[in-house]
Amino acid sequence: MHYNPKHDLLEQRIILVTGAGDGIGREAALTYARFGAQLVLLGRTESKLLAVRDEIAAQGGAPALTVTLDLLHATQEQCRQVAADLTDQLPRLDGVLHNAGLLGDIVPMAEIDMAMWHDVMQVNVNATFMLTQALLPLLLKSPAGSLIFTTSSVGRMGRAGWGAYAVSKFATEGMMQVLAEEYKSRHLRVNCINPGGTRTSMRAAAFPHEDKNKLKTPADIMPLYLYLMGDDSRRKTGMSFDAQPNRKPGATE
Ligand code: NDP
């Protein structure tokens, strides 16, 4: 995507990113901070969140908050507690990027282990939903909130072997569409981003034999992440965007 954001695009914005300690989420958090936002960094590995917080401070960004939460075991009560703690510290949330995700095993449906199925659904669907539900009141305090989910090309068209992950991403698209309809006359827009094959540890786990130098980096795909978080996308809702629109799904595998 060609997009030239204003340098102060996210000034005065407060944005929560899940899975902010690594991969695409880490890059999104650093990028949003560079464009003026105050960040809430949510993830399961505290040391990684603290490293990102320090990096934001070193680049002159607003002090970031960190929330350590393992989405694999997160309950509705814990999600509500996270929202309550944030409500004590922040006036509102202007954006939430649901980025944390679990790949699970790449195996045919017939071989899927139920424990793995539940884990993928818990992280990618249930925890994402519970966190969304808990954070909605804070998001609705923003005059122009942006709620972004992370999908995948296998969440739009099924592909053999991608079982639990693909089904969880179809559910993510559905969650986005229902919420977008429910809030279409309010000041909250809801969209999905499909990053496309991107150089991270999740991608390396899915395609261990591909040449990672041929993949875009998380930094390369940030224009769409900025566009959907800033005011230029204010009228967009209920849509699923590709960060790499010209990339054929599964191109390098
Ligand atoms: P990474 O595995 O590199 O990063 C995932 C992040 O999510 C990490 O920070 C990880 O934390 C966090 N996370 C994982 N499980 C949990 C959990 N139980 N609780 C809290 N945080 C958790 O993945 P990517 O950056 O590649 O993926 C980001 C998103 O993009 C995912 O939703 C993925 O499905 C999607 N995507 C990625 C593509 C790609 O090619 N990379 C393509 C299409 C979609 P920790 O660092 O502690 O492990």
Side-chain angles (χ1 to χ4, degrees):
M1 168 182 201
H2 296 291
Y3 176 56
N4 285 321
K6 287 190 300 179
H7 70 94
D8 60 351
L9 180 80
L10 301 176
E11 209 71 59
Q12 307 295 326
R13 305 297 161 94
I14 309 171
I15 296 170
L16 183 147
V17 177
T18 73
D22 216 331
I24 296 167
R26 174 182 173 279
E27 190 63 41
L30 292 169
T31 303
Y32 290 153
R34 261 201 314 282
F35 281 81
Q38 180 186 354
L39 267 295
V40 181
L41 310 167
L42 187 148
R44 68 178 160 185
T45 310
E46 190 177 22
S47 57
K48 290 188 182 182
L49 299 177
L50 294 178
V52 176
R53 186 193 66 181
D54 291 349
E55 230 178 300
I56 288 173
Q59 71 186 24
L65 302 178
T66 60
V67 178
T68 309
L69 182 68
D70 183 352
L71 299 174
L72 186 57
H73 303 293
T75 62
Q76 191 173 35
E77 192 47 43
Q78 281 175 318
C79 293
R80 287 180 175 157
Q81 192 56 52
V82 166
D85 292 345
L86 292 176
T87 305
D88 287 342
Q89 299 173 75
L90 300 169
R92 64 182 185 283
L93 279 176
D94 299 292
V96 170
L97 171 64
H98 284 294
N99 158 84
L102 182 62
L103 178 64
D105 300 335
I106 309 282
V107 290
M109 284 283 199
E111 294 166 26
I112 285 180
D113 172 70
M114 266 326 281
M116 185 278 288
W117 174 276
H118 280 301
D119 286 356
V120 171
M121 295 305 159
Q122 163 64 17
V123 173
N124 297 359
V125 184
N126 300 347
T128 300
F129 167 68
M130 291 188 291
L131 212 46
T132 299
Q133 198 186 48
L135 295 174
L136 273 170
L138 262 178
L139 265 172
L140 289 168
K141 289 185 182 179
S142 170
S146 177
L147 176 56
I148 304 173
F149 294 94
T150 307
T151 185
S152 164
S153 46
V154 297
R156 296 174 183 157
M157 184 172 290
R159 193 184 310 159
W162 284 76
Y165 179 80
V167 173
S168 77
K169 294 299 188 180
F170 269 91
T172 302
E173 295 265 357
M175 187 154 36
M176 176 277 286
Q177 289 182 14
V178 172
L179 282 163
E181 280 277 307
E182 289 179 354
Y183 290 95
K184 71 180 172 203
S185 56
R186 307 278 295 272
H187 41 271
L188 176 66
R189 60 198 189 280
V190 191
N191 295 289
C192 274
I193 293 179
N194 168 25
T198 306
R199 203 184 305 168
T200 67
S201 46
M202 183 188 284
R203 177 74 191 189
F207 299 101
H209 305 300
E210 78 180 345
D211 179 359
K212 66 179 171 45
N213 294 316
K214 291 188 177 154
L215 292 170
K216 298 286 188 200
T217 65
D220 293 329
I221 61 171
M222 285 302 116
L224 179 63
Y225 284 75
L226 283 166
Y227 170 73
L228 282 180
M229 216 34 114
D231 274 348
D232 293 319
S233 62
R234 261 175 111 140
R235 287 158 182 235
K236 306 287 185 199
T237 196
M239 298 175 71
S240 191
F241 292 84
D242 289 306
Q244 303 180 55
N246 299 321
R247 186 174 193 280
K248 205 167 143 264
T252 61
E253 50 269 31

